[in-house]
Amino acid sequence: MRIYTASELPDKGTIPSGVETLDSAFPGLPLPGVVEVFGPPGSGKSLLALLYKPEVYVDVEGSLGGTWLSTWSPNTQVVRLVDWEDLKKLLEACVNKYRLIVVDSIAALDFDDSRPGALSRHLGAWVVHSAPRLQSTCLMLLNHVRVEWGPYPSLSSPGGFGLKHAADLRLKVRRGELKSVVWHEIVVEVVKSKICPSGRKASVFLNLKTGEVSAIRPRGKGAEEEDGVERD
């Protein structure tokens, strides 16, 4: 045990995206730290993660295409697995060796215990236990939202209160109003943050053909044509 004074405690670093609107809303991903990115399918969670150039991308869903990877984060190493125990072993080997590790998505993990809420309890407990050991790694966990039905329906996500408590930054993601053949608008809201005020929002526009990233709403041909394609 060691007792610190305020002057001895180091400030967290950040991993910026390089996109003006995002980096103005929040200074970047906390380093070290735990980040939860949650939202419905097709909102753009995977695209957002690639903007931060992760060294390791754990593709649990097996849906990450080579085109997106080569366009936005060509130096990223992709690992495909589906089992929760395999993920724990991988993270234990990679934590504090890589700057940014993305898991996409925790909701798709296979877990031996089939009881309702078992994965959430184990995942939340693991994150709470592991977060203090992060020294030079940001762990970004992509997550789906689901509806909890009852007298008062509400939205929830796997990981339970443990993940929500341990997360240094929680980002809610949805697809923007722009309906385009080539452009995808991602709207990001800061739900919880230990590095900036919560409640901040930002939009970013990605050209799926050219790889262009813009902080300004695109205009011109193709910018308002709906193609009906979902992008996670």
Side-chain angles (χ1 to χ4, degrees), residues 158-211:
F161 290 108
L163 176 55
K164 294 177 176 62
H165 170 75
D168 298 280
L169 179 65
R170 298 187 71 229
L171 302 175
K172 181 179 179 180
V173 176
R174 64 176 176 85
R175 186 175 180 182
E177 297 179 356
L178 177 66
K179 309 300 182 182
S180 170
V181 174
V182 296
W183 289 94
H184 184 87
E185 179 186 1
I186 304 173
V187 180
V188 183
E189 179 182 356
V190 179
V191 176
K192 172 192 174 182
S193 175
K194 296 180 181 179
I195 57 175
C196 71
S198 59
R200 293 181 175 182
K201 295 182 180 181
S203 292
V204 59
F205 303 87
L206 281 73
N207 189 306
L208 303 177
K209 289 187 176 180
T210 66

Side-chain angles (χ1 to χ4, degrees), residues 69-84:
L69 194 65
S70 60
T71 299
W72 286 292
S73 191
N75 296 321
T76 296
Q77 303 177 69
V78 177
V79 180
R80 286 188 170 168
L81 54 78
V82 296
D83 186 75
W84 163 241

